Amino acid sequence: MSSAPVSAPLAEAPAIGGPGRAPLAKKTLVSDHPTWCPGCGDFAVLASFYRVLEKLNYPQENIVTFAGIGCSSRFPYFVNSHGGHFIHGRSLPFAAAISLGRDDLHVFAFGGDGDGFSIGGNHLFHAARKNTKMTYVIMDNSVYGLTKKQTSPTSPVGFKSKTDPWGAMEQPVNPMKTLLTAGATFVARSHATQVNHMTEMMLRAAQHDGFSVVEILSECVEFNEGAFDAANPRKGGKWQQIELKKNDGTPEDAARHDPTDEFSAMKLALADAPGYFGVFYEVNRPTKNKLERDLIARTREKTKGASALQLLESTFVKMR
């Protein structure tokens, strides 16, 4: 008489990231091979984001990446985490809902200049003023590259494209000025060729308690090659990095930038493109997450912990 084989108990996979757990490593975070064009700046952004997650060592199951439409918005496919790919420009409302519903999650949204400053511009404005806790990384290549070269909101005057064969006529969006005006509590800019700086900016943004935005100039080598060479020393450009105030009492500290000074941040934002790189603005303001939590706590105290069904029933009783 034969007996059925006894299955060996399944080995429990080690938990990844977080205190007392195996460190979160890049090999765990990689989920697929990126499909960007060779030489695209987005490769460097993705590599920096892996480094940021390794440094933060968040529990893997608490990481969420979200994006709209565009080359840059393929990001969630390449990060082994929770995430989603939504319609053009609409990633921020979804990301905000996730952040408010699950305050323990670390929510990252990714998009390009078209997704962020054009079709999603209104969502960006309101996400910033509400100060919902999340980090938004905008990979700005100043062109619609996925659809093979149309003028984008950040394309400069005179930019020739399939939609403007004689050169763009409209004034481009100034991302830093727009974000400061909208009310974002952390605003920074970096360049995809400056990997260490880019990693530092995303790391600071992720640690900010509120709505943080990093604009990264990320060259589209197919349809806007050389767009940001003016800020790349290896291409003969000038890298103008913001030096933050150290409050060390030295004379030279007076010339350094105070990131809590909105007026000074706006002056930096008004510099001619490509302008300055670093933290323009960083302040603490109550997040929408906290305000919502406080409101719910006050309401529960007032209703003495009644359930939603009990409250509904009591309302119907009063209506009779």
Side-chain angles (χ1 to χ4, degrees):
M1 179 178 175
S2 63
S3 60
V6 178
S7 300
L10 293 173
E12 187 172 337
I16 305 296
R21 307 166 76 179
L24 188 59
K26 178 183 174 182
K27 65 180 181 180
T28 305
L29 293 165
V30 174
S31 65
D32 201 354
H33 182 70
T35 52
W36 295 308
C37 303
C40 175
D42 294 354
F43 283 102
V45 182
L46 179 62
S48 289
F49 185 61
Y50 289 146
R51 289 174 62 184
V52 168
L53 292 182
E54 286 180 307
K55 288 175 179 288
L56 293 172
N57 199 34
Y58 291 145
Q60 188 183 12
E61 68 273 18
N62 284 12
I63 299 169
V64 181
T65 57
F66 226 82
I69 298 296
C71 293
S72 56
S73 296
R74 292 172 174 166
F75 229 83
Y77 291 119
F78 312 136
V79 182
N80 187 12
S81 69
H82 297 298
H85 193 200
F86 200 50
I87 57 177
H88 206 190
R90 268 63 169 182
S91 64
L92 290 185
F94 252 89
I98 293 168
S99 176
L100 293 172
R102 285 285 305 273
D103 196 49
D104 58 318
L105 301 181
H106 304 284
V107 180
F108 298 88
F110 297 90
D113 38 308
D115 206 58
F117 299 119
S118 183
I119 195 167
N122 197 38
H123 294 302
L124 174 60
F125 180 89
H126 291 289
R129 74 177 180 83
K130 291 177 181 179
N131 199 29
T132 305
K133 188 178 177 182
M134 71 173 87
T135 295
Y136 189 27
V137 177
I138 303 175
M139 287 166 269
D140 184 355
N141 58 14
S142 293
V143 67
Y144 285 105
L146 185 66
T147 48
K148 298 181 171 48
K149 197 174 187 178
Q150 291 84 35
T151 301
S152 92
T154 57
S155 299
V157 172
F159 179 72
K160 293 184 178 180
S161 69
K162 292 177 180 175
T163 47
D164 285 297
W166 296 279
M169 296 181 290
E170 295 88 2
Q171 186 71 18
V173 167
N174 180 326
M176 296 293 101
K177 181 180 172 184
T178 300
L179 292 166
L180 291 168
T181 305
T185 52
F186 182 96
V187 178
R189 172 193 277 156
S190 192
H191 194 297
T193 62
Q194 304 289 330
V195 175
N196 289 336
H197 184 267
M198 179 168 50
T199 303
E200 180 189 347
M201 292 301 104
M202 282 200 281
L203 185 61
R204 288 186 64 147
Q207 293 173 310
H208 178 72
D209 189 19
F211 186 76
S212 56
V213 192
V214 182
E215 182 209 19
I216 299 174
L217 302 186
S218 178
E219 182 178 327
C220 173
V221 293
E222 289 292 328
F223 300 111
N224 201 8
E225 187 176 8
F228 309 122
D229 285 356
N232 185 357
R234 282 175 287 183
K235 298 285 186 70
K238 185 178 181 181
W239 172 251
Q240 298 189 103
Q241 185 170 328
I242 297 170
E243 191 173 1
L244 296 182
K245 194 172 283 295
K246 299 178 181 177
N247 297 313
D248 56 9
T250 58
E252 55 269 27
D253 203 38
R256 294 178 181 137
H257 174 58
D258 177 2
T260 66
D261 187 336
E262 190 173 8
F263 183 67
S264 294
M266 188 60 79
K267 286 201 292 185
L268 291 174
L270 293 174
D272 291 337
Y276 292 91
F277 297 85
V279 178
F280 282 64
Y281 191 56
E282 184 176 16
V283 292
N284 292 317
R285 200 176 76 221
T287 64
K288 183 169 177 61
N289 304 57
K290 180 181 185 307
L291 296 174
E292 293 276 354
R293 282 199 308 271
D294 292 347
L295 175 63
I296 291 170
R298 290 197 304 274
T299 304
R300 283 181 175 163
E301 184 178 356
K302 186 176 179 180
T303 57
K304 300 178 181 177
S307 67
L309 179 60
Q310 289 171 324
L311 291 172
L312 188 63
E313 288 174 342
S314 66
T315 301
F316 284 148
V317 169
K318 292 175 185 175
M319 292 170 63
R320 289 174 183 166

